[in-house]
């Protein structure tokens, strides 16, 4: 059936318009396209906008008399998708609108402008394309488009009339999308699917199902939603898997033999990859009577992941591993992350080891790095080590108690002194931990225990990271620093105002150091506001990032710092390993000149992937909490206000640490005024006040498992208060209740 014969139902898809123009014997005009699809009125305006975009993106070209045609081969301007890099680090792309049966020619993206942010695989660009003499093309970027076409994750549902629709899992999507029967594929009602937006206007929204991910009511779908919503790659390309599967033991030649040392790994009970092992002994040097010799051995990932190979490209793309309540999306294939790069007990493993000597006050005296071969004496958990140190060893820890565990705690005691002397920022916010029962469902949500053994490992790793950055700096070798700037001034003044409302004073007129914040935290300790003060102090801090420019680490009170200790799960650490190998001439697989020139772009990219993983992990935890609480709608909970906005209150439940929201419309009939400085909502007539950190009692009104959101109603809470005067900066009280605004408009009309 031709386009002219088709009955007009909805606005045509882009593909339908392109097919019509392609099948025409000669170029066609806009009016012919409109007549073919029976478009009139607003639809003609929408067609004009679509054709303009297709011309800009190179999917259409103008022939004589401004008539339209579909270009053959690569047009001079085209939409390209970044596909990765070649062995020399050149950025490659492929055309989106390629219709030929032969594969497209190689396209190299020119990165002319200095400081251009890294291009991600899958990102789309509009580019001017020029052929080269060797049959390839060079693409010059006109603009970055993003990850078009828009993809939506959602649950496929049947409507009352039997047609299909997609309910988005992202709470920011407020609309349901239509799905044509021919675009459903193998999906069924109740499935979690990925869909491509075919049409989106104010009147009509349509998608096409491109991938079925599984049944939405399965427990594992919770993490899948978070993973796919945030575009975290889950599949490894065949060439990367082949390299990982063909890996084997490292050659012992040229490596220090550390297999006689009783190095141990200490991790969580559910850990599967072990990339760091530790050991300590009293320093035998009489000049350092209370000192310690520490050894931190880290998996030698650089031996297996070589610069520019398929494993390196996929590790860079992911940037880091992502950890969800029920699974891990690793940076490297499992045969490496859980195999040859995992320091399993009783098995020979290659490592990059840091020998560290400290005095009795925990001050780092000297250090050296060497490539070695080690054999872990035991895989221990934090709980095991803590119990052994407290006098309750088990069969595994008893033989290690005197010669391994107690020396570790002895060295940790010295490192704790150094930490206290530096004045490290001591934020201690509770972390939720999920326990799973039958069929992968959440059985309980609890606050995770934190032991001295956790802090022991942290201090050992921090010391090794400092030693790595000092070594690279002294050897004038590039380093990808872990930078944490001091708090930005625009966040400090609101923090001071809020703390002042709690009779807490943050120093003003001087350079702030972590110990100033620690004093505030100590003063708040033991009060009902202790946790919220920690939270607002955390929110005032700058975001840590990776950068080749050293600006210090404010939170740890360190002049220089980098990440060296987790190369299995962080690309930044792999870069630092390569820099050390190059600086100390430990092999031929060190940092390349090409990577050195791209360090700024690499830092930007992996800082973004780190934030992407953090958001996805938090999203998955929130969704699991929503699923866990969905059977308790109507129940009441004790909670604390963790956010006060002009549109409502955010709460965190005491019992499960789950987060939810109380809409302002449910607080009462009156208008509420929002005091942004003091984080308060104040009833205009009743003076009922809700302040950040207040204790409340709430009732669960709705648990939306599709979006992972919880809505609550206030049962008890709020206090009589006196409304504050407006801030001289114009920020103070603001009228925010929509109901109140409508009432005011009605009064003005009367």
């Amino acid at each position: 059936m031709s386009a002219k014969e088709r009955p007009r139902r909805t606005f045509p898809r882009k593909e339908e318009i392109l097919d019509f123009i392609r099948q025409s014997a000669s170029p066609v005009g806009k009016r012919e396209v409109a007549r073919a699809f029976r478009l009139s009125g607003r639809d003609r305006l929408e067609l004009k906008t679509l054709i303009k975009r297709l011309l800009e993106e190179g999917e259409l070209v103008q022939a004589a008399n401004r008539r339209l045609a579909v270009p053959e081969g690569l047009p001079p301007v085209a939409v390209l998708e970044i596909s990765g890099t070649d062995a020399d680090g050149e950025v490659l792309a492929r055309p989106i609108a390629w219709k030929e049966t032969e594969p497209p020619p190689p396209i190299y993206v020119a990165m002319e402008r200095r400081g251009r942010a890294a291009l991600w695989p899958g990102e789309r660009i509009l580019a001017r394309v020029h052929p080269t003499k060797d049959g390839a093309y060079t693409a010059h970027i006109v603009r970055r488009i993003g990850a078009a076409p828009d993809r939506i994750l959602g649950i496929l549902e049947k409507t009352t009339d039997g047609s299909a629709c997609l309910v988005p899992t992202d709470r920011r999507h407020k609309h349901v999308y239509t799905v044509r029967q021919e675009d459903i594929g193998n999906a069924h009602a109740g499935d979690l699917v990925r869909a491509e937006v075919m049409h989106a206007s104010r009147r009509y929204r349509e998608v096409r199902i491109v991938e079925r991910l599984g049944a939405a009511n399965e427990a594992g779908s919770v993490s899948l939603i978070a993973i796919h919503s945030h575009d975290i790659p889950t599949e490894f390309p065949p060439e990367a898997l082949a390299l990982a599967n063909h890996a084997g033991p490292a050659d012992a030649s040229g490596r220090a033999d550390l297999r006689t040392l009783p190095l141990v790994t200490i991790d969580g009970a559910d850990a599967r990859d072990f990339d760091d092992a530790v050991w300590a002994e009293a320093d035998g040097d009489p000049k350092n009577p209370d000192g310690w010799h520490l050894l931190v051995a880290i998996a030698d990932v650089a031996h297996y992941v070589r610069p520019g190979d398929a494993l390196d490209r996929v590790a860079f793309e992911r940037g880091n591993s992502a950890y969800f309540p029920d699974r891990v999306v690793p940076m490297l294939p499992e045969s490496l992350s859980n195999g040859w790069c995992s320091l399993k007990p009783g098995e020979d493993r290659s490592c990059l080891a840091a020998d560290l000597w400290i005095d009795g006050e925990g001050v780092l005296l000297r250090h050296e790095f060497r490539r070695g071969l080690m054999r872990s004496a035991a895989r221990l958990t934090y709980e095991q080590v803590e119990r052994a140190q407290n006098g309750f060893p088990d069969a595994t820890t008893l033989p290690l108690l005197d010669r391994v565990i107690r020396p570790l705690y002895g060295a940790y005691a010295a490192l704790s002194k150094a930490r206290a002397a530096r004045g490290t920022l001591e934020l201690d916010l509770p972390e939720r931990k999920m326990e799973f029962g039958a069929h992968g469902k959440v059985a309980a949500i609890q606050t995770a225990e934190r032991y001295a053994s956790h802090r022991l490992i942290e201090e050992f790793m921090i010391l090794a990271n400092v030693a790595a950055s000092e070594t690279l700096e002294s050897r004038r070798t590039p380093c990808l620093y872990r930078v944490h700037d001091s708090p930005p001034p625009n966040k400090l003044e609101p923090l001071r105002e809020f703390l002042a409302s709690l009779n807490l004073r943050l120093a003003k007129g001087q350079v702030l150091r972590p110990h100033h914040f620690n004093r505030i935290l100590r003063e708040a300790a033991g009060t009902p506001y202790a946790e919220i003060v920690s939270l607002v102090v955390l929110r005032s801090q700058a975001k840590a990032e990776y950068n080749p420019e050293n600006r210090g680490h404010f939170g740890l009170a360190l002049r220089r710092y980098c990440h060296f200790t987790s190369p299995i799960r962080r690309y930044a650490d792999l870069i630092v390993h390569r820099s050390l190998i190059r600086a100390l001439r430990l092999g031929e697989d060190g940092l390349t000149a090409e990577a050195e020139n791209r360090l700024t772009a690499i830092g930007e990219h992996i800082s973004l992937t780190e934030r992407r993983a953090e958001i996805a992990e938090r999203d998955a935890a929130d969704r699991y909490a929503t699923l866990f609480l969905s059977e308790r709608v109507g129940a009441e909970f004790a909670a604390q206000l963790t956010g006060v906005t002009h549109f409502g209150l955010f709460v965190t439940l005491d019992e499960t640490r789950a987060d939810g929201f109380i809409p302002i419309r449910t607080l009462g009939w009156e208008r509420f005024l929002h005091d942004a400085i003091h984080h308060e909502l104040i009833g205009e007539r009743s003076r009922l006040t809700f302040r950040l950190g207040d204790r409340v009692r709430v009732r669960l009104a709705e648990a939306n498992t599709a979006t992972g959101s919880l809505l609550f109603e206030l049962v008890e809470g709020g206090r009589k208060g006196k409304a504050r005067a407006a801030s001289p900066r114009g920020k103070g009280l603001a009228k925010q209740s929509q109901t109140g605004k409508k009432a005011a408009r009605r009064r003005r009309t009367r």
Side-chain angles (χ1 to χ4, degrees), residues 81 152 202 502 599:
E81 182 179 88
I152 292 181
R202 301 181 74 178
L502 301 177
L599 273 187

Side-chain angles (χ1 to χ4, degrees), residues 427-485:
L427 288 171
D428 191 14
L429 290 166
E431 181 181 341
R432 59 185 169 186
K433 179 181 179 182
M434 297 187 179
E435 296 181 3
F436 290 86
H439 309 297
K441 292 187 176 181
V442 179
I445 303 177
Q446 300 175 344
T447 300
E449 291 277 0
R450 184 163 172 80
Y451 302 106
S453 54
H454 285 92
R455 292 187 285 272
L456 181 156
I457 291 298
E458 285 176 6
E459 290 304 313
F460 273 58
M461 299 304 116
I462 288 171
L463 188 68
N465 290 335
V466 169
S469 61
E470 287 185 356
T471 297
L472 294 175
E473 198 166 291
S474 67
R475 299 290 180 122
R476 301 182 183 278
T477 304
C479 177
L480 196 56
Y481 293 95
R482 179 63 168 179
V483 173
H484 183 222
D485 283 327

Side-chain angles (χ1 to χ4, degrees), residues 543-733:
K543 188 71 177 176
E545 62 179 18
Y546 295 104
N547 199 304
E549 178 189 347
N550 179 27
R551 300 197 298 271
H553 197 292
F554 178 84
L556 293 174
L558 292 168
R559 293 176 58 191
R560 61 188 64 82
Y561 190 68
C562 68
H563 276 165
F564 157 76
T565 55
S566 296
I568 290 178
R569 60 185 180 91
R570 292 189 303 228
Y571 193 78
D573 302 56
L574 178 57
I575 291 291
V576 170
H577 276 230
R578 289 174 177 165
S579 292
L580 288 167
I581 291 167
R582 171 173 144 183
L584 301 173
R585 299 180 181 178
L586 297 176
E588 301 300 320
D589 45 0
L591 188 72
T592 63
E594 186 273 334
E596 179 182 350
N597 294 332
R598 292 177 53 239
L599 273 187
T600 298
I602 290 172
E604 290 175 353
H605 171 75
I606 60 180
S607 295
L608 288 173
T609 60
E610 177 186 53
R611 289 168 199 166
R612 175 182 68 180
E614 288 174 354
I615 294 169
E617 290 163 1
R618 186 166 60 248
D619 183 19
D622 288 342
R623 289 178 182 279
Y624 268 114
T626 300
L627 191 62
F628 178 67
L629 293 170
S630 61
E631 298 177 358
R632 301 179 65 183
V633 172
E636 295 183 5
F637 303 89
Q640 187 173 32
L641 298 185
T642 52
V644 177
T645 71
H646 64 272
F647 49 85
L649 306 168
F650 289 94
V651 297
T652 298
L653 304 187
D654 294 351
E655 180 183 336
T656 59
R657 312 299 308 166
D659 298 314
F661 182 65
I662 304 174
I664 196 170
R665 68 177 182 273
T666 66
L667 294 179
W669 57 269
E670 66 179 324
R671 271 186 303 192
F672 277 83
L673 310 175
H674 179 223
D675 186 339
I677 296 296
H678 299 92
H679 301 276
E680 291 179 340
L681 276 182
I682 304 169
E684 188 177 45
R685 293 191 178 183
S686 68
R687 300 294 190 262
L688 183 65
T689 302
F690 300 95
R691 179 189 285 182
L692 188 70
D694 279 357
R695 309 294 311 174
V696 293
R697 189 160 188 83
V698 295
R699 180 184 298 111
L700 180 57
E702 178 185 326
N704 189 328
T705 55
T707 61
S709 56
L710 298 169
L711 288 181
F712 293 95
E713 299 169 345
L714 186 71
V715 177
E716 294 176 9
R719 49 199 166 83
K720 293 288 184 178
K722 187 176 180 180
R724 300 178 186 274
S727 165
R729 290 186 298 278
K731 284 186 181 178
L733 302 173

Side-chain angles (χ1 to χ4, degrees), residues 322-622:
Y323 293 83
F324 299 94
D326 63 333
R327 73 188 70 197
V328 176
V329 179
M331 186 179 78
L332 296 171
E334 188 174 349
S335 55
L336 285 183
S337 59
N338 292 2
W340 290 110
C341 292
S342 187
L343 307 180
K344 296 182 177 180
E347 298 185 16
D348 290 356
R349 289 290 185 268
S350 56
C351 65
L352 186 56
D355 286 281
L356 313 160
W357 287 268
I358 61 173
D359 64 17
E361 299 301 310
V363 176
L364 182 61
L365 302 177
R366 61 189 178 94
H367 48 79
E368 63 181 51
F369 289 84
R370 47 186 174 158
R371 261 179 147 165
L373 195 65
M374 61 157 287
R375 184 183 298 153
S376 172
R379 177 268 197 268
L380 305 177
T381 68
Y382 294 114
E383 295 83 357
Q384 267 185 304
V385 174
E386 191 78 2
R387 286 197 303 269
Q389 175 66 8
N390 291 335
F392 302 98
D394 57 24
T396 303
T397 55
L398 182 59
L400 301 171
L401 185 57
D402 291 329
R403 65 191 184 104
V404 177
I405 295 175
R406 283 180 178 153
L408 289 175
Y409 275 88
Y412 164 60
L415 292 174
S416 296
K417 295 177 185 178
R419 182 185 182 95
R422 289 200 316 271
T424 300
L425 183 59
E426 301 291 353
L427 288 171
D428 191 14
L429 290 166
E431 181 181 341
R432 59 185 169 186
K433 179 181 179 182
M434 297 187 179
E435 296 181 3
F436 290 86
H439 309 297
K441 292 187 176 181
V442 179
I445 303 177
Q446 300 175 344
T447 300
E449 291 277 0
R450 184 163 172 80
Y451 302 106
S453 54
H454 285 92
R455 292 187 285 272
L456 181 156
I457 291 298
E458 285 176 6
E459 290 304 313
F460 273 58
M461 299 304 116
I462 288 171
L463 188 68
N465 290 335
V466 169
S469 61
E470 287 185 356
T471 297
L472 294 175
E473 198 166 291
S474 67
R475 299 290 180 122
R476 301 182 183 278
T477 304
C479 177
L480 196 56
Y481 293 95
R482 179 63 168 179
V483 173
H484 183 222
D485 283 327
S486 54
N490 64 318
K491 290 186 177 182
L492 287 177
E493 198 53 39
L495 174 64
R496 287 191 179 97
E497 294 272 3
F498 174 69
L499 293 175
S501 71
L502 301 177
N503 297 318
L504 298 172
R505 183 177 177 272
L506 181 63
K508 195 173 183 179
Q510 60 179 295
V511 177
L512 285 178
R513 303 294 183 201
H515 66 81
H516 293 111
F517 293 99
N518 288 340
R519 179 183 57 78
I520 295 292
L521 297 172
R522 286 194 300 271
E523 291 177 8
T527 71
Y529 294 99
E531 186 177 325
I532 209 67
V533 168
S534 292
L535 186 60
V536 294
V537 167
L538 175 64
R539 289 172 179 172
S540 72
Q541 302 301 305
K543 188 71 177 176
E545 62 179 18
Y546 295 104
N547 199 304
E549 178 189 347
N550 179 27
R551 300 197 298 271
H553 197 292
F554 178 84
L556 293 174
L558 292 168
R559 293 176 58 191
R560 61 188 64 82
Y561 190 68
C562 68
H563 276 165
F564 157 76
T565 55
S566 296
I568 290 178
R569 60 185 180 91
R570 292 189 303 228
Y571 193 78
D573 302 56
L574 178 57
I575 291 291
V576 170
H577 276 230
R578 289 174 177 165
S579 292
L580 288 167
I581 291 167
R582 171 173 144 183
L584 301 173
R585 299 180 181 178
L586 297 176
E588 301 300 320
D589 45 0
L591 188 72
T592 63
E594 186 273 334
E596 179 182 350
N597 294 332
R598 292 177 53 239
L599 273 187
T600 298
I602 290 172
E604 290 175 353
H605 171 75
I606 60 180
S607 295
L608 288 173
T609 60
E610 177 186 53
R611 289 168 199 166
R612 175 182 68 180
E614 288 174 354
I615 294 169
E617 290 163 1
R618 186 166 60 248
D619 183 19
D622 288 342

Side-chain angles (χ1 to χ4, degrees), residues 91-146:
V91 178
L92 293 170
R94 54 174 171 258
I96 294 299
W98 187 257
K99 300 295 183 182
E100 310 298 328
T101 55
E102 296 294 323
I107 305 172
Y108 293 90
V109 181
M111 302 293 285
E112 303 97 340
R113 197 176 76 225
R114 278 192 173 184
R116 184 186 289 277
L119 291 166
W120 294 35
E123 185 174 356
R124 295 190 174 188
I125 59 172
L126 179 66
R128 299 189 186 281
V129 183
H130 305 283
T132 60
K133 292 181 180 179
D134 57 0
Y137 284 79
T138 299
H140 297 270
I141 300 173
V142 176
R143 69 171 183 269
R144 300 169 81 144
I145 298 173

Side-chain angles (χ1 to χ4, degrees), residues 8 17 26 31 67 71 137 227 434 526 541 555 587 671 719 743:
R8 168 77 178 108
I17 293 174
S26 59
R31 290 183 180 179
R67 298 175 74 80
Y137 284 79
I227 290 167
M434 297 187 179
Q541 302 301 305
R671 271 186 303 192
R719 49 199 166 83

Side-chain angles (χ1 to χ4, degrees), residues 63-245:
N65 299 323
R66 304 185 70 179
R67 298 175 74 80
L68 305 169
V70 176
E72 294 183 4
L74 281 177
V77 178
V79 177
L80 309 176
E81 182 179 88
I82 304 302
S83 55
T85 56
D86 66 5
D88 298 321
E90 294 287 330
V91 178
L92 293 170
R94 54 174 171 258
I96 294 299
W98 187 257
K99 300 295 183 182
E100 310 298 328
T101 55
E102 296 294 323
I107 305 172
Y108 293 90
V109 181
M111 302 293 285
E112 303 97 340
R113 197 176 76 225
R114 278 192 173 184
R116 184 186 289 277
L119 291 166
W120 294 35
E123 185 174 356
R124 295 190 174 188
I125 59 172
L126 179 66
R128 299 189 186 281
V129 183
H130 305 283
T132 60
K133 292 181 180 179
D134 57 0
Y137 284 79
T138 299
H140 297 270
I141 300 173
V142 176
R143 69 171 183 269
R144 300 169 81 144
I145 298 173
D150 289 335
R151 294 290 178 94
I152 292 181
L153 200 69
I155 298 172
L156 185 65
E157 293 187 358
K158 291 288 185 182
T159 60
T160 53
D161 62 0
S163 59
C165 67
L166 183 81
V167 179
T169 58
D170 189 336
R171 66 192 70 174
R172 293 171 296 182
H173 284 274
K174 306 298 183 184
H175 305 286
V176 173
Y177 290 75
T178 297
V179 186
R180 297 187 186 186
Q181 193 64 38
E182 61 267 27
D183 290 335
I184 292 178
N186 63 345
H188 302 89
D191 281 350
L192 177 67
V193 297
R194 189 197 291 270
E196 182 177 298
V197 177
M198 305 306 296
H199 183 81
S201 66
R202 301 181 74 178
R203 293 181 297 154
Y204 183 75
R205 299 169 183 83
E206 181 189 328
V207 295
R208 175 174 65 89
I209 307 302
V210 296
E211 185 180 4
R212 177 185 180 272
L213 301 174
N217 59 1
E218 293 176 356
S221 294
V222 173
S223 289
L224 283 178
I225 291 173
I227 290 167
H228 289 278
S229 294
H230 300 282
D231 295 321
I232 293 178
T234 57
E235 300 296 327
F236 289 101
E239 56 268 34
L241 289 173
L243 283 175
N245 292 336

